[in-house]
Amino acid sequence: VLHPTAPLYDTGSHEMKPACVRALTRVFGLCDGNQDGVLDDVELNKFQREVFGSPLIATQVTGIKNMLRRNVPDGVTDAGISVSGFLYLHKLFIQRGRSETTWEVLRAHHYGSNLRLLPERLPSLSNLAPDQICQLPSDVISFLSNLFWQHDLEGNGALTPTQLKALFVEKTPGLLWEGKDWHSRIDSNGHLDVHGFISLWAAACHLDTLECIEYLVYLGYGGGNLATADAAIKKCPSRRADYKRRVTSRSVFEVLVCCAPEINAAEVALGLVGREREAGKEGVGSSGAGKGQVSSAGGMLVVGKVHSSRGA
């Protein structure tokens, strides 16, 4: 089916599905050039030309606004159409059997049938050498730190599970590290602190670079524009180049620890760089096999555990 309704709309609740709402809300934000929360007539017609090839005539714009005033009180203001009005229009298209209109909008903004950005529209990593890695540039770390503090409502330097979910749920498909056996620093209450939060993102950048970039775009880095997605990662020089220069610009280092299952791989790795695990902080590997990240002096350690038998 070229324009399926099922990914967009829940026929039981008669509402658009969360993934569809997230995608359309992002599209609205991209089209809201002055970021005032509404699409004025100029922005609306620019959107129409870019997606459908022709602008709306004045009477069509007036008709749309009048219809929104009747059905969605907050869907239109004197300045233009709000995001709730934009979403209502698409809900109406789908309910009237015109899901192709919504799909044209989504596909014009590079969404696939799963309502996620198409992988081929993300930056290419084909020229990355086997001994190169990707890490977060300083402006991305600042962007993520600001996101963290915006959601840390108590200002105590840690996010509760509810706050962490709120950070991701409205704009992304879910928690970036959900389903992955990654662990990082937590506070004495078991909540993720800011260092742990940045560490998990640094791990994602290293271990699953394209998904990391995808999530940064969803969350609004670079205005949420795919055109700026290349800047979301920094490709480090190869290890061979670092060896020749006797210096490295890397801030992320991967360590594989071969040990018995009950051994805390993070504590072993931190010991190698002369640090001890901080009291009350959970290190990577403390809850079993997997990969994760902890802070180290001057950089990050991505610690992976390779199980061995006791007799090995």
Side-chain angles (χ1 to χ4, degrees):
V1 180
L2 188 57
H3 306 297
T5 300
L8 307 178
Y9 189 75
D10 187 330
T11 54
S13 65
H14 304 290
E15 297 292 343
M16 288 190 295
K17 291 184 176 179
C20 180
V21 172
R22 280 197 303 268
L24 290 173
T25 300
R26 175 176 171 269
V27 169
F28 178 92
L30 292 175
C31 298
D32 181 13
N34 58 8
Q35 295 298 294
D36 64 350
V38 296
L39 299 185
D40 59 34
D41 290 357
V42 173
E43 292 166 339
L44 183 61
N45 275 311
K46 182 182 179 183
F47 161 78
Q48 282 288 131
R49 283 193 298 270
E50 289 176 350
V51 176
F52 303 106
S54 61
L56 295 167
I57 60 175
T59 54
Q60 288 176 313
V61 174
T62 301
I64 290 170
K65 290 180 177 178
N66 287 338
M67 183 271 294
L68 288 174
R69 287 190 182 96
R70 290 192 301 270
N71 295 282
V72 192
D74 62 344
V76 62
T77 70
D78 291 339
I81 295 174
S82 70
V83 65
S84 60
F86 186 75
L87 293 173
Y88 178 80
L89 288 172
H90 282 281
K91 178 181 172 181
L92 211 57
F93 291 144
I94 297 167
Q95 288 177 335
R96 293 180 176 180
R98 293 176 54 192
S99 60
E100 70 275 8
T101 302
T102 299
W103 275 115
E104 281 190 65
V105 171
L106 293 170
R107 287 172 177 151
H109 291 86
H110 313 302
Y111 281 90
S113 57
N114 62 352
L115 295 180
R116 293 184 63 159
L117 291 171
L118 293 166
E120 58 266 31
R121 303 301 305 189
L122 296 171
S124 173
L125 301 178
S126 59
N127 62 345
L128 201 67
D131 60 347
Q132 278 186 283
I133 66 165
C134 295
Q135 61 188 41
L136 301 174
S138 58
D139 68 316
V140 172
I141 292 175
S142 296
F143 170 79
L144 291 170
S145 296
N146 288 335
L147 271 182
F148 180 96
W149 294 113
Q150 287 168 17
H151 288 80
D152 178 17
L153 303 181
E154 297 86 8
N156 60 0
L159 296 182
T160 66
T162 300
Q163 291 167 342
L164 191 61
K165 181 179 179 182
L167 190 153
F168 283 96
V169 72
E170 290 184 1
K171 295 184 178 181
T172 76
L175 193 65
L176 176 57
W177 39 88
E178 188 171 11
K180 300 178 173 73
D181 194 10
W182 298 355
H183 311 276
S184 193
R185 284 178 41 149
I186 56 176
D187 70 5
S188 57
N189 295 315
H191 299 157
L192 192 66
D193 68 15
V194 66
H195 301 291
F197 180 74
I198 297 299
S199 292
L200 285 168
W201 276 96
C205 182
H206 175 58
L207 299 169
D208 198 344
T209 307
L210 285 182
E211 187 171 42
C212 178
I213 296 171
E214 180 189 4
Y215 270 64
L216 286 168
V217 170
Y218 292 143
L219 289 170
Y221 173 75
N225 198 321
L226 275 171
T228 62
D230 274 319
I233 58 167
K234 175 184 177 183
K235 297 177 182 178
C236 295
S238 67
R239 276 198 300 268
R240 285 169 295 176
D242 283 348
Y243 288 150
K244 287 179 181 178
R245 294 183 298 124
R246 300 292 180 184
V247 66
T248 183
S249 60
R250 295 186 183 199
S251 62
V252 175
F253 303 89
E254 186 167 12
V255 179
L256 295 178
V257 179
C258 183
C259 58
E262 65 272 16
I263 298 298
N264 188 317
E267 290 186 355
V268 174
L270 286 173
L272 294 174
V273 295
R275 290 189 62 199
E276 294 182 357
R277 182 171 64 91
E278 297 179 46
K281 309 297 183 184
E282 181 180 346
V284 177
S286 61
S287 63
K291 293 182 178 178
Q293 185 156 338
V294 294
S295 298
S296 71
M300 304 281 186
L301 294 181
V302 177
V303 183
K305 182 186 285 190
V306 179
H307 288 171
S308 67
S309 65
R310 290 189 178 276

